[in-house]
Amino acid sequence: MVNLGSPPAPRRSKGADRLGTSLPGSRAVPGRGEEVEETLKRIQSHKGVIGNMVVNAEGIPIRTTLDNSTTVQYAGLLHQLTMKARSTVRDIDPQNDLTFLRIRSKKHEIMVAPDKEYLLIVIQNPCE
Amino acid sequence: TATRALPGPLGKAGRAASAALATGGAASAKGPGRPGQLQDETLGVASVPSQWRGVRGIRGETKSCQTASIATAEASTQARSHAEAQVQTEAPVPVSMLPPSRLDTTRLAAFLQRVEAMVIRELNKNWQSHAFDGFEVNWMEQQQTVSCLHTLCYPPAQGQGLHVTSISWNTTGSVVACAYGRLDDGDWSTLKSFVCAWNLDRRGLNPRQPSAVVEVPSAALCLAFHPTQPSHLAGGLYSGEVLVWDMSHPEDPLLWRTGLTDDTHTDPVYQVVWLPEPRQSHRFQVLSVATDGKVLLWQGVGAGRLQLTEGFALVIQQLPRSTKLRKPPRGETEVGTTAVAFSSFDPSLFVLGTEGGFPVKCSLTAEEAALTRMPSSVPLRAPAQFTFSPHGGPIYSVSCSPFHRNLFLSAGTDGHVHLYSMLQAQPLISLQLSYKYLFAVRWSPVRPLVFAAASGEGDVQLFDLQKSSQKPTVSIKQTEDGSPVYCLEFNSQQTQLLAAGDAKGTVKVWQLSTEFTEQGPRETEDLDQLAAEVAT
């Protein structure tokens, strides 16, 4: 398991090779913005991932790898669904809480990692 | 014997008895032989007292009731002030993303740190999991066969022997319109014709009575409903005119017309298409294609006139020599265009089908001027960029795939359907579907590998390239006597419906089986694979 706290230089250059661009900034401590971008690109590079996005607590997308209209649609709908799922879990058992939400459809699988302030949505095509 | 003996003895007694009877009842009680006087006697009244009534006795009381007087009062109300309010639904404003400057990156980074590990673990598990192999869920009722939902016709048009030349579904998918005309006339004709529309979602649909009928001065050859207005319909006529109607006003439907000016087509208009305007994408203009070689863009201006905004002319000398064509004749000659299809991925790219049998890839942004002497108020440009290898006869229909940017189909009088890729001149697949002409070919709006073709033998053939690339999956017989089917259109809102019009003047609406309406899991990839079989 890679320690995410201080990304070492070799891993950053691997990311640069993959993308064909070099990341700006100093090598000692990468800015938080770059860390965010790196993490999302790491997730995006996994097998079968079609796209991912981060949505804030109001359902407005903050970062995405898909086009604007698709992102907005996914963000709004999945935010509502996640809130509903969370309230379902807590209604059944108030001590319980939602940790992860997966929706499997004919064409792909949508994974939502919820949190107090943000939602991470990943869409994967599990090719079988 | 009794009667004879009677008078004798009865004679004496009889006289005595009758004498007794004559004297009265009471007196004769003493015996016969003593006559009495006739007298009236009254006897006293005999009464028998009731025993039970005396015991009970009669009890009676008098009661009365009266409703109290009803209190009434008069009052009146009058609204003193009122306000008018209107409600109008507008197209939703698209939500935009948060600009990155208003972002708290630290907390976002911390959140991603927390969840990344879990998400990656789940992604990996998912990639290797076989938990859902072969797992299918049926949400909709499975329809196994193709059935005919409606058979629509307009008897006055059928009485004139008119054919259905074109069909269009409106933007909501509930109204189907058809144009009547004749496709086998070689001459100019002044035949009056009709455009009819049926609203299939209305109760009490009468298949022989359209919900709107418009009379047109000449045979109508093509129709296209507006992409966002459910009642606006554009049509092209045999005389070369292009008209736009509003089908919700049956008394006065004509909105715009080109009239017969120098700009109008001089030959029958075979196809009309609505295009979004380049700068204002919610307004549309009409593109018309005719066999005089001109492709014209019209815009509706005030007073009901369609004005020419842009025009293109296809001249044989200006066609790119990407494929061997016949030696061009001397002089500038126009190439008759019979069909047009726009790419769903690049709105300025379109494919023209020609009378010479070769599809031509064109662009709206072409700049080169066309070498033609046809009069026109706007300069005509040469749109052709690439010419594909020809069919054995004129092309009647082209259709661009809604799922792949490079694929399109063309069908023509040689009975073949060719699947072309924009990247090469030779077709990828060439299928013979009919020994007669093929009049229309359309890709399915939901299944990337399915298309339908209308044949001159009277059937609608549905092809599923996933199942078989040689023969049709389903062949629907539309006409009993084999008269040709001239047009067909899929309904993009209700995707199980397919409408087809034939030479008998009827429009049949077919309901397709579920295998034609539900996408399989890997179809888009299979389509990509098919398109990639381009010979390098």
Side-chain angles (χ1 to χ4, degrees):
Chain A
M1 182 73 78
V2 180
N3 180 12
L4 298 172
S6 53
R11 206 188 55 201
R12 189 140 44 99
S13 60
K14 211 198 317 174
D17 286 346
R18 207 180 301 138
L19 299 168
T21 58
S22 56
L23 293 172
S26 66
R27 226 184 280 162
V29 176
R32 287 284 177 245
E34 288 156 14
E35 218 178 284
V36 166
E37 300 300 330
E38 274 202 19
T39 315
L40 290 177
K41 277 161 195 158
R42 256 201 306 277
I43 296 178
Q44 179 69 24
S45 66
H46 260 266
K47 285 189 281 254
V49 171
I50 300 173
N52 63 37
M53 64 192 79
V54 180
V55 175
N56 76 353
E58 280 108 39
I60 302 180
I62 299 174
R63 287 274 193 279
T64 178
T65 60
L66 299 169
D67 63 279
N68 211 17
S69 50
T70 318
T71 303
V72 164
Q73 207 176 15
Y74 268 105
L77 294 168
L78 285 170
H79 177 256
Q80 288 178 32
L81 186 63
T82 311
M83 292 303 119
K84 184 72 181 174
R86 180 167 187 248
S87 73
T88 306
V89 167
R90 288 171 65 88
D91 280 352
I92 294 174
D93 179 0
Q95 307 300 317
N96 205 354
D97 208 341
L98 180 70
T99 54
F100 203 77
L101 179 64
R102 290 166 77 153
I103 304 169
R104 188 160 187 116
S105 70
K106 254 201 303 202
K107 297 187 190 172
H108 37 245
E109 177 148 346
I110 304 171
M111 283 176 251
V112 181
D115 190 78
K116 187 164 71 102
E117 297 158 352
Y118 302 102
L119 286 179
L120 172 65
I121 301 172
V122 182
I123 305 151
Q124 185 190 29
N125 182 7
C127 204
E128 45 219 354
Chain B
T1 49
T3 50
R4 253 186 28 223
L6 215 58
L10 210 55
K12 286 186 246 165
R15 258 183 270 127
S18 58
L21 280 172
T23 55
S28 66
K30 299 199 180 89
R34 176 137 179 204
Q37 293 286 104
L38 263 172
Q39 271 175 353
D40 274 331
E41 253 185 68
T42 56
L43 299 171
V45 174
S47 71
V48 177
S50 158
Q51 287 189 345
W52 67 270
R53 200 171 284 177
V55 169
R56 285 209 176 205
I58 297 175
R59 239 186 14 231
E61 286 174 18
T62 312
K63 287 267 186 204
S64 70
C65 68
Q66 164 78 45
T67 51
S69 60
I70 298 168
T72 59
E74 291 217 3
S76 62
T77 65
Q78 169 72 43
R80 295 254 172 252
S81 66
H82 57 270
E84 285 198 13
Q86 290 178 355
V87 172
Q88 167 79 41
T89 50
E90 293 183 353
V93 177
V95 176
S96 57
M97 282 178 55
L98 213 54
S101 57
R102 294 179 48 192
L103 190 54
D104 190 348
T105 340
T106 325
R107 293 171 48 187
L108 182 58
F111 159 68
L112 284 176
Q113 259 187 40
R114 282 197 298 272
V115 296
E116 187 191 0
M118 169 170 60
V119 169
I120 292 195
R121 198 173 52 231
E122 292 296 330
L123 285 174
N124 286 333
K125 264 203 303 193
N126 216 16
W127 187 255
Q128 294 155 359
S129 147
H130 291 280
F132 288 98
D133 280 359
F135 179 69
E136 272 183 29
V137 173
N138 285 331
W139 278 100
M140 297 196 306
E141 218 177 84
Q142 301 288 316
Q143 170 109 4
Q144 296 302 327
T145 52
V146 176
S147 58
C148 181
L149 267 190
H150 304 281
T151 306
L152 309 166
C153 60
Y154 187 52
Q158 283 180 315
Q160 286 182 29
L162 293 176
H163 308 158
V164 175
T165 55
S166 176
I167 285 189
S168 181
W169 290 95
N170 79 340
T171 176
T172 60
S174 53
V175 177
V176 59
C178 78
Y180 279 100
R182 287 198 70 102
L183 279 181
D184 51 1
D185 265 352
D187 282 338
W188 283 102
S189 67
T190 50
L191 184 68
K192 267 193 182 307
S193 172
F194 306 95
V195 169
C196 305
W198 284 267
N199 188 336
L200 299 180
D201 287 346
R202 219 175 259 181
R203 265 191 292 184
L205 166 75
N206 182 354
R208 298 170 71 84
Q209 177 70 40
S211 27
V213 179
V214 175
E215 273 199 22
V216 290
S218 153
L221 289 178
C222 54
L223 286 183
F225 262 107
H226 195 279
T228 51
Q229 292 270 12
S231 60
H232 288 192
L233 180 61
L237 302 186
Y238 196 83
S239 56
E241 272 198 81
V242 174
L243 307 175
V244 178
W245 299 283
D246 184 350
M247 301 304 269
S248 57
H249 297 123
E251 331 77 42
D252 184 20
L254 191 59
L255 276 181
W256 292 299
R257 63 186 308 168
T258 54
L260 289 168
T261 63
D262 274 345
D263 286 337
T264 345
H265 289 286
T266 49
D267 272 0
V269 177
Y270 273 98
Q271 195 153 355
V272 282
V273 174
W274 288 93
L275 288 184
E277 273 184 45
R279 275 166 294 280
Q280 304 162 292
S281 61
H282 60 275
R283 285 164 54 97
F284 290 84
Q285 30 186 358
V286 180
L287 179 119
S288 62
V289 158
T291 42
D292 58 1
K294 289 199 280 194
V295 175
L296 302 176
L297 264 169
W298 306 91
Q299 174 77 52
V301 297
R305 218 168 61 81
L306 276 178
Q307 193 178 39
L308 186 60
T309 54
E310 282 178 46
F312 301 90
L314 208 59
V315 176
I316 200 161
Q317 278 75 13
Q318 287 179 300
L319 289 177
R321 295 263 153 265
S322 28
T323 178
K324 267 195 178 0
L325 297 174
R326 280 196 329 261
K327 204 166 144 66
R330 286 185 181 279
E332 296 114 16
T333 42
E334 288 82 23
V335 179
T337 46
T338 50
V340 66
F342 273 80
S343 163
S344 349
F345 293 83
D346 182 356
S348 68
L349 186 68
F350 60 101
V351 176
L352 284 176
T354 59
E355 279 182 330
F358 44 89
V360 183
K361 178 169 86 158
C362 306
S363 169
L364 287 176
T365 54
E367 297 287 332
E368 188 190 344
L371 300 169
T372 173
R373 278 191 282 259
M374 287 189 287
S376 169
S377 58
V378 300
L380 297 175
R381 313 200 297 256
Q385 289 181 338
F386 190 80
T387 320
F388 297 91
S389 134
H391 280 254
I395 295 182
Y396 273 151
S397 178
V398 283
S399 177
C400 285
S401 169
F403 291 95
H404 197 285
R405 61 186 321 122
N406 284 344
L407 293 177
F408 68 93
L409 288 168
S410 67
T413 58
D414 59 350
H416 282 77
V417 162
H418 287 192
L419 173 67
Y420 287 96
S421 163
M422 298 273 192
L423 306 173
Q424 73 174 24
Q426 292 295 324
L428 294 173
I429 300 179
S430 171
L431 295 161
Q432 171 149 30
L433 293 188
S434 165
Y435 291 109
K436 295 193 186 175
Y437 299 174
L438 282 179
F439 290 97
V441 69
R442 290 280 180 266
W443 285 103
S444 161
V446 280
R447 295 252 345 248
L449 291 165
V450 169
F451 64 88
S455 80
E457 286 154 350
D459 33 64
V460 173
Q461 302 196 357
L462 283 163
F463 242 86
D464 186 348
L465 291 170
Q466 202 173 40
K467 291 238 177 84
S468 154
S469 56
Q470 302 301 324
K471 58 183 193 61
T473 318
V474 173
S475 182
I476 311 170
K477 199 146 189 44
Q478 167 130 346
T479 52
E480 290 84 35
D481 59 355
S483 33
V485 177
Y486 283 132
C487 47
L488 57 81
E489 285 290 342
F490 282 96
N491 185 337
S492 40
Q493 299 296 321
Q494 301 187 46
T495 51
Q496 77 278 15
L497 296 183
L498 169 66
D502 56 33
K504 313 286 279 176
T506 47
V507 171
K508 290 202 179 172
V509 178
W510 300 95
Q511 182 172 32
L512 302 176
S513 49
T514 354
E515 56 177 350
F516 288 109
T517 52
E518 293 191 351
Q519 256 191 42
R522 290 196 51 88
E523 280 199 49
T524 337
E525 286 89 8
D526 288 344
L527 189 69
D528 289 339
Q529 216 171 8
L530 192 62
E533 289 168 16
V534 170
T536 45

